[in-house]
mmCIF file of all heavy atoms in Angstrom:
data_model
loop_
_atom_site.group_PDB
_atom_site.id
_atom_site.type_symbol
_atom_site.label_atom_id
_atom_site.label_comp_id
_atom_site.label_asym_id
_atom_site.label_seq_id
_atom_site.Cartn_x
_atom_site.Cartn_y
_atom_site.Cartn_z
ATOM 1 N N PRO O 231 16.713 15.649 -12.880
ATOM 2 C CA PRO O 231 17.259 16.248 -14.112
ATOM 3 C C PRO O 231 16.202 16.507 -15.175
ATOM 4 O O PRO O 231 16.237 17.542 -15.841
ATOM 5 C CB PRO O 231 18.279 15.195 -14.580
ATOM 6 C CG PRO O 231 18.696 14.495 -13.345
ATOM 7 C CD PRO O 231 17.458 14.434 -12.503
ATOM 8 N N GLU O 232 15.254 15.580 -15.347
ATOM 9 C CA GLU O 232 14.196 15.793 -16.325
ATOM 10 C C GLU O 232 13.331 16.987 -15.935
ATOM 11 O O GLU O 232 12.968 17.808 -16.778
ATOM 12 C CB GLU O 232 13.335 14.536 -16.438
ATOM 13 C CG GLU O 232 11.999 14.721 -17.140
ATOM 14 C CD GLU O 232 12.111 15.016 -18.629
ATOM 15 O OE1 GLU O 232 13.246 14.961 -19.172
ATOM 16 O OE2 GLU O 232 11.088 15.323 -19.257
ATOM 17 N N ALA O 233 13.032 17.112 -14.656
ATOM 18 C CA ALA O 233 12.207 18.228 -14.199
ATOM 19 C C ALA O 233 12.942 19.557 -14.386
ATOM 20 O O ALA O 233 12.367 20.534 -14.867
ATOM 21 C CB ALA O 233 11.834 18.026 -12.731
ATOM 22 N N PHE O 234 14.217 19.590 -14.021
ATOM 23 C CA PHE O 234 14.966 20.847 -14.078
ATOM 24 C C PHE O 234 15.229 21.301 -15.504
ATOM 25 O O PHE O 234 15.307 22.504 -15.783
ATOM 26 C CB PHE O 234 16.290 20.684 -13.336
ATOM 27 C CG PHE O 234 17.067 21.974 -13.229
ATOM 28 C CD1 PHE O 234 16.722 22.922 -12.291
ATOM 29 C CD2 PHE O 234 18.137 22.227 -14.074
ATOM 30 C CE1 PHE O 234 17.426 24.113 -12.196
ATOM 31 C CE2 PHE O 234 18.844 23.412 -13.993
ATOM 32 C CZ PHE O 234 18.492 24.357 -13.041
ATOM 33 N N GLU O 235 15.324 20.347 -16.421
ATOM 34 C CA GLU O 235 15.665 20.665 -17.805
ATOM 35 C C GLU O 235 14.698 21.670 -18.424
ATOM 36 O O GLU O 235 15.105 22.596 -19.124
ATOM 37 C CB GLU O 235 15.674 19.376 -18.633
ATOM 38 C CG GLU O 235 16.031 19.563 -20.107
ATOM 39 C CD GLU O 235 17.501 19.871 -20.309
ATOM 40 O OE1 GLU O 235 18.306 19.551 -19.405
ATOM 41 O OE2 GLU O 235 17.836 20.432 -21.363
ATOM 42 N N ASP O 236 13.393 21.498 -18.147
ATOM 43 C CA ASP O 236 12.397 22.313 -18.832
ATOM 44 C C ASP O 236 11.525 23.144 -17.901
ATOM 45 O O ASP O 236 10.685 23.910 -18.372
ATOM 46 C CB ASP O 236 11.484 21.416 -19.685
ATOM 47 C CG ASP O 236 12.242 20.790 -20.837
ATOM 48 O OD1 ASP O 236 12.684 21.531 -21.729
ATOM 49 O OD2 ASP O 236 12.425 19.564 -20.819
ATOM 50 N N ALA O 237 11.674 22.975 -16.604
ATOM 51 C CA ALA O 237 10.842 23.762 -15.680
ATOM 52 C C ALA O 237 11.682 24.289 -14.525
ATOM 53 O O ALA O 237 11.231 24.384 -13.395
ATOM 54 C CB ALA O 237 9.694 22.904 -15.148
ATOM 55 N N HIS O 238 12.936 24.687 -14.842
ATOM 56 C CA HIS O 238 13.875 24.997 -13.770
ATOM 57 C C HIS O 238 13.462 26.179 -12.914
ATOM 58 O O HIS O 238 13.820 26.269 -11.751
ATOM 59 C CB HIS O 238 15.279 25.222 -14.348
ATOM 60 C CG HIS O 238 15.362 26.313 -15.352
ATOM 61 N ND1 HIS O 238 15.054 26.115 -16.680
ATOM 62 C CD2 HIS O 238 15.715 27.620 -15.239
ATOM 63 C CE1 HIS O 238 15.223 27.248 -17.353
ATOM 64 N NE2 HIS O 238 15.606 28.167 -16.498
ATOM 65 N N LEU O 239 12.691 27.115 -13.452
ATOM 66 C CA LEU O 239 12.285 28.272 -12.669
ATOM 67 C C LEU O 239 11.201 27.930 -11.648
ATOM 68 O O LEU O 239 11.011 28.646 -10.669
ATOM 69 C CB LEU O 239 11.784 29.388 -13.592
ATOM 70 C CG LEU O 239 12.841 30.006 -14.521
ATOM 71 C CD1 LEU O 239 12.214 31.049 -15.421
ATOM 72 C CD2 LEU O 239 13.977 30.624 -13.698
ATOM 73 N N LEU O 240 10.492 26.839 -11.884
ATOM 74 C CA LEU O 240 9.389 26.464 -11.000
ATOM 75 C C LEU O 240 9.595 25.116 -10.319
ATOM 76 O O LEU O 240 8.785 24.736 -9.475
ATOM 77 C CB LEU O 240 8.077 26.396 -11.805
ATOM 78 C CG LEU O 240 7.585 27.711 -12.419
ATOM 79 C CD1 LEU O 240 6.364 27.450 -13.293
ATOM 80 C CD2 LEU O 240 7.242 28.716 -11.327
ATOM 81 N N VAL O 241 10.659 24.394 -10.676
ATOM 82 C CA VAL O 241 10.796 23.012 -10.221
ATOM 83 C C VAL O 241 10.870 22.928 -8.700
ATOM 84 O O VAL O 241 10.307 22.005 -8.093
ATOM 85 C CB VAL O 241 12.027 22.346 -10.883
ATOM 86 C CG1 VAL O 241 13.331 22.985 -10.435
ATOM 87 C CG2 VAL O 241 12.028 20.860 -10.595
ATOM 88 N N GLY O 242 11.531 23.881 -8.056
ATOM 89 C CA GLY O 242 11.627 23.843 -6.600
ATOM 90 C C GLY O 242 10.263 23.951 -5.937
ATOM 91 O O GLY O 242 9.925 23.182 -5.031
ATOM 92 N N LEU O 243 9.472 24.915 -6.388
ATOM 93 C CA LEU O 243 8.134 25.113 -5.816
ATOM 94 C C LEU O 243 7.247 23.896 -6.045
ATOM 95 O O LEU O 243 6.557 23.425 -5.130
ATOM 96 C CB LEU O 243 7.487 26.346 -6.445
ATOM 97 C CG LEU O 243 6.026 26.616 -6.077
ATOM 98 C CD1 LEU O 243 5.897 26.861 -4.579
ATOM 99 C CD2 LEU O 243 5.493 27.806 -6.868
ATOM 100 N N ILE O 244 7.256 23.344 -7.268
ATOM 101 C CA ILE O 244 6.404 22.203 -7.590
ATOM 102 C C ILE O 244 6.821 20.972 -6.789
ATOM 103 O O ILE O 244 5.975 20.204 -6.312
ATOM 104 C CB ILE O 244 6.446 21.914 -9.097
ATOM 105 C CG1 ILE O 244 5.870 23.103 -9.878
ATOM 106 C CG2 ILE O 244 5.675 20.647 -9.436
ATOM 107 C CD1 ILE O 244 6.088 23.020 -11.373
ATOM 108 N N THR O 245 8.124 20.788 -6.627
ATOM 109 C CA THR O 245 8.613 19.657 -5.843
ATOM 110 C C THR O 245 8.159 19.762 -4.388
ATOM 111 O O THR O 245 7.738 18.767 -3.780
ATOM 112 C CB THR O 245 10.151 19.575 -5.908
ATOM 113 O OG1 THR O 245 10.565 19.454 -7.269
ATOM 114 C CG2 THR O 245 10.671 18.382 -5.126
ATOM 115 N N VAL O 246 8.218 20.961 -3.833
ATOM 116 C CA VAL O 246 7.753 21.172 -2.458
ATOM 117 C C VAL O 246 6.261 20.871 -2.339
ATOM 118 O O VAL O 246 5.806 20.273 -1.354
ATOM 119 C CB VAL O 246 8.062 22.607 -1.998
ATOM 120 C CG1 VAL O 246 7.355 22.918 -0.681
ATOM 121 C CG2 VAL O 246 9.565 22.795 -1.835
#
Side-chain angles (χ1 to χ4, degrees):
E232 165 68 6
F234 186 79
E235 181 73 21
D236 293 294
H238 58 276
L239 294 178
L240 296 174
V241 66
L243 174 62
I244 297 170
T245 302
V246 169

